[in-house]
Coordinates of all heavy atoms in Angstrom, one line a residue:
M843 N -21.9 35.3 -1.8 CA -21.2 33.9 -1.9 C -21.0 33.6 -3.3 O -21.9 33.8 -4.1 CB -22.0 33.0 -1.1 CG -23.2 32.2 -1.8 SD -24.1 31.1 -0.8 CE -25.0 32.1 0.3
K844 N -19.8 33.0 -3.5 CA -19.4 32.6 -4.9 C -19.8 31.3 -5.2 O -19.8 30.8 -6.4 CB -17.9 32.9 -5.0 CG -17.5 34.3 -4.9 CD -16.0 34.6 -4.9 CE -15.8 36.0 -4.6 NZ -14.3 36.2 -4.7
K845 N -20.0 30.4 -4.1 CA -20.5 29.0 -4.3 C -21.5 28.7 -3.4 O -21.7 29.3 -2.3 CB -19.3 28.0 -4.2 CG -18.7 28.0 -2.9 CD -17.4 27.0 -2.8 CE -17.0 27.0 -1.4 NZ -16.0 26.0 -1.2
Q846 N -22.3 27.7 -3.7 CA -23.5 27.2 -2.9 C -22.8 26.6 -1.7 O -22.2 25.5 -1.9 CB -24.3 26.4 -3.8 CG -25.6 26.0 -3.1 CD -26.6 25.3 -4.1 OE1 -26.5 25.5 -5.2 NE2 -27.3 24.4 -3.6
I847 N -23.1 27.1 -0.6 CA -22.6 26.6 0.6 C -23.3 25.4 1.3 O -22.8 24.6 1.9 CB -22.3 27.6 1.8 CG1 -23.5 28.4 2.1 CG2 -21.2 28.5 1.3 CD1 -23.4 29.4 3.2
L848 N -24.6 25.3 1.0 CA -25.5 24.2 1.5 C -26.3 23.7 0.4 O -26.9 24.5 -0.4 CB -26.4 24.6 2.6 CG -25.8 25.0 4.0 CD1 -26.9 25.5 4.9 CD2 -25.0 23.7 4.5
T849 N -26.5 22.4 0.1 CA -27.2 21.9 -0.9 C -28.7 22.1 -0.5 O -29.1 22.3 0.7 CB -26.9 20.4 -1.1 OG1 -27.4 19.7 0.0 CG2 -25.6 20.2 -1.5
I850 N -29.7 21.8 -1.4 CA -31.1 22.0 -1.1 C -31.4 21.0 0.0 O -32.2 21.2 0.9 CB -31.9 21.8 -2.4 CG1 -31.5 22.8 -3.5 CG2 -33.4 21.8 -2.1 CD1 -31.7 24.2 -3.0
S851 N -31.0 19.8 -0.1 CA -31.2 18.6 0.9 C -30.7 19.1 2.2 O -31.3 18.8 3.3 CB -30.7 17.3 0.4 OG -29.3 17.3 0.2
E852 N -29.6 19.8 2.3 CA -28.9 20.2 3.6 C -29.8 21.2 4.2 O -30.0 21.3 5.4 CB -27.5 20.5 3.3 CG -26.6 19.5 3.1 CD -25.1 20.0 2.8 OE1 -25.0 21.1 2.1 OE2 -24.3 19.4 3.4
L853 N -30.3 22.1 3.3 CA -31.1 23.2 3.8 C -32.4 22.6 4.5 O -32.8 23.0 5.6 CB -31.5 24.2 2.7 CG -30.4 25.1 2.2 CD1 -30.8 25.7 0.9 CD2 -30.1 26.2 3.3
K854 N -33.0 21.7 3.9 CA -34.2 21.0 4.3 C -33.9 20.2 5.6 O -34.7 20.3 6.6 CB -34.8 20.1 3.4 CG -35.4 20.8 2.2 CD -35.9 19.8 1.1 CE -36.5 20.5 0.0 NZ -36.9 19.5 -1.1
E855 N -32.7 19.6 5.7 CA -32.3 18.9 6.8 C -32.1 19.8 8.1 O -32.5 19.4 9.2 CB -30.9 18.1 6.5 CG -30.4 17.3 7.6 CD -29.1 16.7 7.3 OE1 -28.8 16.3 6.2 OE2 -28.2 16.8 8.1
F856 N -31.7 20.9 7.9 CA -31.4 21.9 9.0 C -32.7 22.7 9.4 O -32.8 23.5 10.3 CB -30.5 22.9 8.7 CG -29.1 22.4 8.6 CD1 -28.2 22.8 7.6 CD2 -28.6 21.5 9.5 CE1 -26.9 22.3 7.5 CE2 -27.3 20.9 9.5 CZ -26.4 21.3 8.4
G857 N -33.8 22.4 8.6 CA -35.1 23.0 8.9 C -35.6 24.2 8.2 O -36.5 24.8 8.5
F858 N -34.7 24.6 7.2 CA -35.2 25.7 6.4 C -36.3 25.4 5.6 O -36.6 24.3 5.1 CB -34.0 26.1 5.5 CG -32.8 26.8 6.0 CD1 -31.8 26.1 6.7 CD2 -32.7 28.2 6.0 CE1 -30.7 26.8 7.2 CE2 -31.6 28.8 6.5 CZ -30.7 28.1 7.2
Q859 N -37.1 26.5 5.4 CA -38.4 26.3 4.6 C -38.1 27.2 3.3 O -37.7 28.3 3.4 CB -39.5 26.9 5.4 CG -39.9 26.1 6.6 CD -41.0 26.7 7.4 OE1 -41.5 27.9 7.1 NE2 -41.3 26.1 8.5
E860 N -38.5 26.7 2.2 CA -38.4 27.5 1.0 C -39.5 28.5 0.9 O -40.7 28.0 0.9 CB -38.3 26.6 -0.2 CG -38.0 27.4 -1.5 CD -37.8 26.5 -2.8 OE1 -37.9 25.3 -2.7 OE2 -37.3 27.1 -3.8
K861 N -39.2 29.7 0.6 CA -40.2 30.7 0.4 C -40.2 31.0 -1.1 O -39.5 30.4 -1.9 CB -39.7 32.0 0.9 CG -39.8 32.0 2.5 CD -41.1 31.6 3.1 CE -41.1 31.6 4.6 NZ -42.4 31.2 5.2
Q862 N -41.2 31.7 -1.5 CA -41.5 31.9 -3.0 C -40.3 32.6 -3.7 O -39.9 33.7 -3.2 CB -42.8 32.6 -3.3 CG -43.0 32.8 -4.7 CD -44.4 33.6 -4.9 OE1 -45.2 33.7 -3.9 NE2 -44.7 33.8 -6.1
G863 N -39.7 31.9 -4.6 CA -38.6 32.5 -5.5 C -39.2 33.3 -6.6 O -40.5 33.5 -6.7
D864 N -38.4 33.7 -7.5 CA -38.9 34.5 -8.7 C -37.9 34.4 -9.8 O -36.9 34.1 -9.7 CB -39.2 35.9 -8.3 CG -40.3 36.5 -9.1 OD1 -40.8 36.0 -10.1 OD2 -40.7 37.8 -8.9
T865 N -38.4 34.8 -11.0 CA -37.6 34.8 -12.2 C -36.9 36.2 -12.2 O -37.5 37.2 -11.6 CB -38.3 34.6 -13.4 OG1 -39.3 35.5 -13.6 CG2 -38.8 33.1 -13.4
L866 N -35.8 36.3 -13.0 CA -35.0 37.5 -13.0 C -35.2 37.9 -14.4 O -35.6 37.3 -15.3 CB -33.6 37.3 -12.6 CG -33.5 36.9 -11.2 CD1 -32.0 36.5 -10.9 CD2 -33.8 37.9 -10.1
E867 N -34.8 39.4 -14.7 CA -35.0 39.9 -16.1 C -34.1 39.1 -17.1 O -34.5 39.1 -18.3 CB -34.5 41.3 -16.0 CG -35.5 42.2 -15.2 CD -35.1 43.7 -15.2 OE1 -34.2 44.1 -15.9 OE2 -35.7 44.4 -14.5
D868 N -32.9 38.6 -16.7 CA -32.1 38.0 -17.7 C -32.4 36.4 -17.9 O -31.7 35.7 -18.6 CB -30.7 38.1 -17.3 CG -30.3 37.2 -15.9 OD1 -31.3 36.8 -15.4 OD2 -29.2 37.3 -15.5
G869 N -33.6 36.1 -17.4 CA -34.0 34.7 -17.5 C -33.7 33.7 -16.5 O -34.0 32.6 -16.4
G870 N -32.7 34.2 -15.6 CA -32.3 33.4 -14.4 C -33.4 33.4 -13.4 O -34.6 33.9 -13.6
F871 N -33.1 32.9 -12.2 CA -34.1 32.9 -11.2 C -33.4 32.8 -9.8 O -32.2 32.5 -9.8 CB -35.0 31.7 -11.3 CG -34.4 30.3 -11.2 CD1 -34.4 29.6 -10.0 CD2 -33.9 29.7 -12.3 CE1 -33.8 28.3 -10.0 CE2 -33.2 28.5 -12.3 CZ -33.2 27.8 -11.1
Y872 N -34.1 32.9 -8.8 CA -33.6 32.7 -7.4 C -34.5 31.9 -6.5 O -35.7 31.8 -6.8 CB -33.3 34.2 -6.7 CG -34.5 34.9 -6.4 CD1 -35.1 34.7 -5.1 CD2 -35.0 35.8 -7.1 CE1 -36.2 35.5 -4.6 CE2 -36.3 36.6 -6.8 CZ -36.7 36.4 -5.6 OH -37.8 37.1 -5.1
R873 N -33.9 31.2 -5.5 CA -34.6 30.5 -4.5 C -34.2 31.1 -3.2 O -33.2 31.5 -3.0 CB -34.2 29.0 -4.6 CG -34.6 28.4 -5.9 CD -34.3 26.9 -6.0 NE -35.2 26.1 -5.2 CZ -35.2 24.9 -5.2 NH1 -34.2 24.1 -5.9 NH2 -36.0 24.1 -4.5
W874 N -35.2 31.2 -2.4 CA -35.0 31.8 -1.1 C -35.5 30.9 0.0 O -36.6 30.3 0.0 CB -36.0 33.2 -1.1 CG -36.1 34.0 0.1 CD1 -35.2 34.0 1.2 CD2 -37.3 34.6 0.6 NE1 -35.7 34.8 2.1 CE2 -36.9 35.1 1.8 CE3 -38.6 34.7 0.1 CZ2 -37.8 35.9 2.6 CZ3 -39.4 35.5 0.7 CH2 -39.1 36.1 1.9
W875 N -34.6 30.7 1.1 CA -34.9 29.8 2.2 C -34.8 30.6 3.4 O -34.0 31.4 3.6 CB -33.8 28.7 2.1 CG -33.7 27.9 0.9 CD1 -33.2 28.2 -0.4 CD2 -34.4 26.6 0.7 NE1 -33.3 27.2 -1.2 CE2 -34.2 26.3 -0.7 CE3 -35.2 25.9 1.5 CZ2 -34.7 25.2 -1.1 CZ3 -35.7 24.7 0.9 CH2 -35.4 24.2 -0.5
V876 N -35.6 30.1 4.5 CA -35.6 30.8 5.7 C -35.7 29.8 6.9 O -36.3 28.8 6.8 CB -36.8 31.9 5.8 CG1 -38.1 31.2 5.6 CG2 -36.6 32.8 7.0
L877 N -35.0 30.1 8.0 CA -35.2 29.4 9.1 C -35.6 30.4 10.3 O -34.9 31.4 10.5 CB -33.9 28.6 9.5 CG -33.7 27.9 10.8 CD1 -34.7 26.7 10.7 CD2 -32.3 27.5 11.2
Y878 N -36.5 30.0 11.0 CA -37.0 30.8 12.3 C -36.7 30.1 13.4 O -37.0 28.8 13.5 CB -38.5 31.2 12.1 CG -38.9 32.0 11.0 CD1 -39.6 31.3 9.9 CD2 -38.7 33.3 10.9 CE1 -40.0 32.1 8.8 CE2 -39.0 34.0 9.8 CZ -39.7 33.4 8.9 OH -40.1 34.2 7.7
K879 N -36.0 30.6 14.4 CA -35.7 29.9 15.6 C -35.4 31.0 16.8 O -34.7 31.9 16.6 CB -34.5 29.0 15.5 CG -34.0 28.2 16.6 CD -32.9 27.4 16.4 CE -32.3 26.7 17.7 NZ -31.0 25.9 17.3
N880 N -36.2 30.8 17.9 CA -35.9 31.7 19.1 C -36.0 33.1 18.7 O -35.1 33.9 19.1 CB -34.7 31.4 19.7 CG -34.7 29.9 20.3 OD1 -35.7 29.4 20.7 ND2 -33.6 29.3 20.4
D881 N -37.0 33.7 18.0 CA -37.1 35.0 17.6 C -36.0 35.5 16.7 O -35.7 36.7 16.6 CB -37.2 35.9 18.7 CG -38.4 35.8 19.6 OD1 -39.5 35.4 19.0 OD2 -38.4 35.8 20.9
C882 N -35.3 34.6 16.0 CA -34.2 34.9 15.1 C -34.6 34.5 13.7 O -35.5 33.5 13.6 CB -32.8 34.4 15.5 SG -32.2 35.0 17.0
E883 N -34.1 35.1 12.7 CA -34.3 34.7 11.2 C -33.0 34.6 10.6 O -32.2 35.4 10.7 CB -35.2 35.7 10.5 CG -36.5 36.0 11.0 CD -37.3 37.0 10.3 OE1 -36.9 37.3 9.1 OE2 -38.2 37.6 10.9
L884 N -32.9 33.4 9.8 CA -31.7 33.3 9.0 C -32.2 32.9 7.6 O -33.0 32.0 7.4 CB -30.9 32.0 9.6 CG -29.6 31.7 8.9 CD1 -28.7 32.8 8.9 CD2 -29.0 30.5 9.5
H885 N -31.8 33.8 6.6 CA -32.3 33.7 5.2 C -31.1 33.3 4.4 O -30.0 33.9 4.6 CB -32.9 35.0 4.8 CG -34.0 35.4 5.5 ND1 -35.3 35.4 4.9 CD2 -34.2 36.0 6.8 CE1 -36.2 35.9 5.8 NE2 -35.5 36.2 6.8
I886 N -31.3 32.5 3.4 CA -30.3 32.1 2.4 C -30.9 32.2 1.0 O -32.0 31.6 0.8 CB -29.7 30.7 2.6 CG1 -29.0 30.7 3.9 CG2 -28.8 30.3 1.6 CD1 -28.3 29.3 4.4
T887 N -30.4 33.0 0.1 CA -30.8 33.2 -1.2 C -29.8 32.7 -2.1 O -28.6 33.0 -2.1 CB -31.2 34.7 -1.4 OG1 -32.1 35.1 -0.4 CG2 -31.7 34.8 -2.7
H888 N -30.3 31.9 -3.1 CA -29.4 31.4 -4.2 C -29.9 32.0 -5.5 O -31.2 31.9 -5.8 CB -29.4 29.8 -4.3 CG -28.9 29.1 -3.1 ND1 -29.2 27.9 -2.9 CD2 -28.0 29.5 -2.2 CE1 -28.4 27.5 -1.8 NE2 -27.9 28.6 -1.3
Q889 N -29.0 32.6 -6.3 CA -29.4 33.1 -7.6 C -28.8 32.2 -8.6 O -27.6 31.8 -8.5 CB -28.9 34.5 -7.8 CG -29.4 35.1 -9.1 CD -29.0 36.6 -9.1 OE1 -29.0 37.2 -8.1 NE2 -28.7 37.0 -10.3
Y890 N -29.6 31.8 -9.7 CA -29.2 30.9 -10.7 C -29.2 31.5 -12.1 O -30.1 32.4 -12.4 CB -30.0 29.6 -10.8 CG -29.9 28.8 -9.5 CD1 -30.8 29.1 -8.4 CD2 -29.0 27.8 -9.2 CE1 -30.8 28.4 -7.2 CE2 -29.0 27.1 -8.2 CZ -29.8 27.4 -7.0 OH -29.8 26.7 -5.9
H891 N -28.3 31.0 -13.0 CA -28.5 31.5 -14.4 C -29.7 30.8 -15.1 O -30.2 29.8 -14.5 CB -27.2 31.1 -15.3 CG -25.9 31.7 -14.8 ND1 -25.6 33.1 -15.1 CD2 -24.9 31.4 -14.1 CE1 -24.5 33.4 -14.7 NE2 -24.0 32.5 -14.1
K892 N -30.1 31.2 -16.1 CA -31.2 30.6 -16.8 C -31.0 29.1 -17.2 O -32.0 28.4 -17.3 CB -31.7 31.4 -18.2 CG -30.5 31.5 -19.1 CD -31.0 32.3 -20.3 CE -29.9 32.6 -21.2 NZ -30.3 33.5 -22.3
N893 N -29.7 28.6 -17.2 CA -29.4 27.3 -17.4 C -29.3 26.5 -16.2 O -28.9 25.4 -16.1 CB -28.1 27.1 -18.2 CG -26.9 27.7 -17.4 OD1 -27.1 28.2 -16.3 ND2 -25.7 27.6 -18.0
K894 N -29.8 27.1 -15.1 CA -30.0 26.4 -13.7 C -28.6 26.3 -13.0 O -28.5 25.5 -12.0 CB -30.7 25.1 -13.7 CG -32.1 25.3 -14.3 CD -32.9 23.9 -14.3 CE -34.3 24.2 -14.8 NZ -35.1 23.0 -14.8
K895 N -27.6 26.9 -13.4 CA -26.3 26.9 -12.8 C -26.2 28.0 -11.7 O -26.6 29.1 -12.0 CB -25.2 27.1 -13.7 CG -23.8 27.0 -13.3 CD -22.8 27.1 -14.3 CE -21.4 27.0 -13.7 NZ -20.3 27.4 -14.6
F896 N -25.7 27.7 -10.5 CA -25.6 28.5 -9.5 C -24.7 29.8 -9.9 O -23.7 29.6 -10.5 CB -25.0 27.9 -8.2 CG -24.7 28.9 -7.0 CD1 -25.9 29.1 -6.2 CD2 -23.6 29.4 -6.8 CE1 -25.7 29.9 -5.2 CE2 -23.4 30.3 -5.7 CZ -24.4 30.5 -4.9
E897 N -25.3 31.0 -9.6 CA -24.5 32.3 -9.9 C -23.8 32.8 -8.7 O -22.7 33.1 -8.6 CB -25.3 33.2 -10.7 CG -24.7 34.5 -11.0 CD -25.7 35.3 -11.9 OE1 -26.7 34.9 -12.3 OE2 -25.2 36.5 -12.0
T898 N -24.7 33.2 -7.8 CA -24.4 33.9 -6.5 C -25.4 33.7 -5.4 O -26.4 33.1 -5.7 CB -24.2 35.4 -6.9 OG1 -23.5 36.1 -5.7 CG2 -25.5 36.1 -7.0
G899 N -25.1 34.1 -4.3 CA -26.1 34.1 -3.2 C -25.7 34.9 -2.0 O -24.6 35.5 -2.1
Y900 N -26.5 35.0 -1.0 CA -26.2 35.7 0.1 C -26.9 35.1 1.4 O -28.0 34.4 1.2 CB -26.4 37.2 0.0 CG -27.8 37.7 -0.4 CD1 -28.7 37.9 0.6 CD2 -28.1 37.7 -1.8 CE1 -30.0 38.3 0.2 CE2 -29.4 38.1 -2.1 CZ -30.4 38.4 -1.1 OH -31.6 38.7 -1.4
V901 N -26.4 35.5 2.5 CA -27.0 35.0 3.9 C -27.4 36.3 4.6 O -26.6 37.2 4.7 CB -26.0 34.2 4.6 CG1 -26.5 33.8 6.0 CG2 -25.6 32.9 3.8
E902 N -28.5 36.3 5.1 CA -29.0 37.4 6.0 C -29.3 36.8 7.4 O -30.0 35.7 7.5 CB -30.2 38.1 5.4 CG -30.0 38.8 4.3 CD -31.4 39.4 3.7 OE1 -32.3 38.5 3.4 OE2 -31.4 40.6 3.7
F903 N -28.9 37.5 8.4 CA -29.2 37.1 9.8 C -29.9 38.2 10.5 O -29.5 39.3 10.6 CB -27.9 36.7 10.5 CG -28.2 36.2 11.9 CD1 -28.7 35.0 12.2 CD2 -27.9 37.1 13.0 CE1 -28.9 34.4 13.4 CE2 -28.2 36.5 14.3 CZ -28.7 35.2 14.5
N904 N -31.2 38.0 10.9 CA -32.1 39.1 11.5 C -32.0 40.3 10.6 O -31.9 41.5 11.2 CB -31.6 39.4 12.9 CG -31.9 38.3 13.8 OD1 -32.8 37.4 13.5 ND2 -31.2 38.2 15.0
G905 N -32.1 40.2 9.3 CA -32.3 41.3 8.4 C -31.0 42.0 7.9 O -31.1 42.9 7.2
E906 N -29.9 41.5 8.3 CA -28.6 42.1 8.0 C -27.9 41.1 7.2 O -27.7 40.0 7.5 CB -27.7 42.5 9.3 CG -28.3 43.5 10.2 CD -28.4 44.8 9.5 OE1 -27.5 45.2 8.7 OE2 -29.3 45.6 9.8
T907 N -27.5 41.6 5.9 CA -26.7 40.7 5.1 C -25.3 40.5 5.6 O -24.6 41.5 6.1 CB -26.7 41.4 3.6 OG1 -27.8 41.6 3.2 CG2 -25.8 40.5 2.7
L908 N -24.9 39.3 5.7 CA -23.5 39.0 6.3 C -22.5 39.1 5.2 O -22.6 38.6 4.0 CB -23.5 37.5 6.8 CG -24.5 37.2 7.9 CD1 -24.4 35.7 8.3 CD2 -24.3 38.1 9.1
K909 N -21.5 40.0 5.5 CA -20.4 40.4 4.5 C -19.2 40.0 5.1 O -19.0 39.7 6.2 CB -20.5 41.8 4.2 CG -21.9 42.2 3.6 CD -21.8 43.8 3.4 CE -23.2 44.1 2.7 NZ -23.3 45.6 2.5
G910 N -18.1 40.2 4.2 CA -16.8 39.9 4.8 C -16.2 38.5 4.1 O -16.4 38.5 2.8
R911 N -15.7 37.7 4.8 CA -15.1 36.4 4.2 C -16.1 35.6 3.7 O -17.4 35.7 4.1 CB -14.2 35.7 5.2 CG -15.1 35.1 6.4 CD -14.0 34.4 7.2 NE -14.7 33.8 8.4 CZ -15.4 32.8 8.5 NH1 -15.6 32.0 7.3 NH2 -16.0 32.3 9.6
E912 N -16.0 34.6 2.8 CA -16.9 33.6 2.3 C -17.3 32.7 3.4 O -16.4 32.2 4.2 CB -16.1 32.8 1.3 CG -16.1 33.6 -0.1 CD -17.4 33.8 -0.8 OE1 -18.3 32.8 -0.8 OE2 -17.7 35.0 -1.2
L913 N -18.6 32.6 3.7 CA -19.2 31.8 4.6 C -19.0 30.3 4.2 O -19.0 29.9 3.0 CB -20.5 32.1 4.9 CG -20.8 33.4 5.5 CD1 -22.3 33.7 5.7 CD2 -20.2 33.6 6.8
T914 N -18.9 29.4 5.2 CA -18.9 28.0 4.9 C -20.2 27.4 5.5 O -20.9 27.9 6.3 CB -17.7 27.3 5.5 OG1 -17.8 27.4 7.0 CG2 -16.4 28.0 5.1
A915 N -20.4 26.0 5.2 CA -21.5 25.3 5.8 C -21.4 25.2 7.3 O -22.3 25.4 8.1 CB -21.5 23.9 5.3
N916 N -20.1 25.1 7.8 CA -19.9 25.2 9.3 C -20.3 26.5 9.9 O -20.7 26.4 11.0 CB -18.4 24.9 9.6 CG -18.1 23.4 9.5 OD1 -19.0 22.6 9.5 ND2 -16.9 23.0 9.1
D917 N -20.1 27.6 9.2 CA -20.5 28.9 9.7 C -22.0 28.9 9.8 O -22.5 29.5 10.8 CB -20.1 30.1 8.7 CG -18.6 30.2 8.7 OD1 -17.9 29.9 9.6 OD2 -18.0 30.6 7.6
V918 N -22.8 28.4 8.9 CA -24.2 28.4 8.9 C -24.7 27.5 10.0 O -25.5 27.9 10.8 CB -24.8 28.0 7.6 CG1 -26.3 27.8 7.7 CG2 -24.5 29.0 6.5
K919 N -24.0 26.3 10.2 CA -24.4 25.5 11.4 C -24.1 26.2 12.7 O -24.9 26.0 13.6 CB -23.5 24.2 11.3 CG -23.9 23.4 10.1 CD -23.0 22.1 10.0 CE -23.1 21.3 8.6 NZ -22.1 20.3 8.5
F920 N -23.0 26.9 12.8 CA -22.8 27.6 14.0 C -23.8 28.7 14.3 O -24.3 28.9 15.4 CB -21.3 28.2 13.9 CG -21.0 29.0 15.2 CD1 -20.7 28.2 16.4 CD2 -20.8 30.4 15.2 CE1 -20.4 29.0 17.5 CE2 -20.4 31.0 16.4 CZ -20.1 30.3 17.6
L921 N -24.2 29.4 13.2 CA -25.2 30.4 13.5 C -26.6 29.8 14.0 O -27.2 30.3 14.9 CB -25.5 31.1 12.2 CG -24.6 32.2 11.8 CD1 -24.9 32.8 10.3 CD2 -24.7 33.5 12.8
I922 N -26.9 28.6 13.5 CA -28.1 28.0 13.8 C -28.0 27.5 15.3 O -28.9 27.7 16.1 CB -28.4 26.7 12.9 CG1 -28.7 27.2 11.5 CG2 -29.5 25.9 13.5 CD1 -28.8 26.1 10.5
E923 N -26.8 27.1 15.7 CA -26.6 26.7 17.2 C -26.8 27.9 18.0 O -27.3 27.9 19.1 CB -25.3 26.1 17.3 CG -25.2 24.7 16.7 CD -23.7 24.2 16.8 OE1 -22.9 24.7 17.7 OE2 -23.4 23.2 16.2
L924 N -26.2 29.2 17.6 CA -26.4 30.4 18.4 C -27.8 30.9 18.5 O -28.1 31.5 19.5 CB -25.5 31.5 17.7 CG -24.0 31.3 17.8 CD1 -23.3 32.4 17.1 CD2 -23.6 31.3 19.3
M925 N -28.7 30.6 17.5 CA -29.9 31.0 17.5 C -30.7 30.3 18.7 O -31.3 30.4 19.4 CB -30.7 30.7 16.2 CG -30.1 31.4 15.0 SD -30.7 30.8 13.5 CE -32.4 31.4 13.5

C-alpha cells in the first residue's frame, strides 16, 4: 500500500490489536496490527521512515498478502464483514 488506509484510531475501533513492532536497519520502524475473528486472521502492517512518516504497508488475510489494486478502508471493512 502506498498510503495508510486506516488510522490508528480506526484500527482500534474495528477491534485490531497492536502486536510488537520493531525498528528497521535504516532507522525506520514498523507497526503491526491483527484482528482475529471466526478462525480468520487479518494483519495490517505499516512501515515508517525514521522521521515517523508513513512509507509503505501491506495487508495479509489468513497468511496471504493481498496484492493487486490498492486497497481502501471500505475493502478492509468488507473483509471484516466476511470474516
Side-chain angles (χ1 to χ4, degrees):
M843 84 180 72
K844 296 177 184 174
K845 63 179 183 172
Q846 190 169 326
I847 56 177
L848 293 172
T849 65
I850 303 304
S851 61
E852 288 174 320
L853 287 166
K854 290 178 182 179
E855 179 182 318
F856 291 136
F858 282 85
Q859 299 172 356
E860 186 169 12
K861 296 298 181 182
Q862 184 175 352
D864 205 353
T865 57
L866 303 170
E867 291 178 10
D868 63 359
F871 64 97
Y872 70 90
R873 294 179 81 174
W874 172 35
W875 301 82
V876 65
L877 175 70
Y878 299 104
K879 183 178 170 187
N880 297 328
D881 296 327
C882 294
E883 297 179 21
L884 184 59
H885 297 255
I886 297 180
T887 304
H888 293 163
Q889 186 174 327
Y890 299 88
H891 291 285
K892 59 184 172 186
N893 62 2
K894 299 183 181 179
K895 183 178 176 187
F896 180 81
E897 181 178 347
T898 189
Y900 57 91
V901 177
E902 291 178 298
F903 185 73
N904 290 337
E906 297 293 328
T907 302
L908 301 180
K909 298 179 182 179
R911 67 176 178 80
E912 283 292 312
L913 296 176
T914 66
N916 286 334
D917 294 329
V918 174
K919 291 174 190 176
F920 182 68
L921 280 172
I922 293 170
E923 289 176 16
L924 288 177
M925 294 169 71

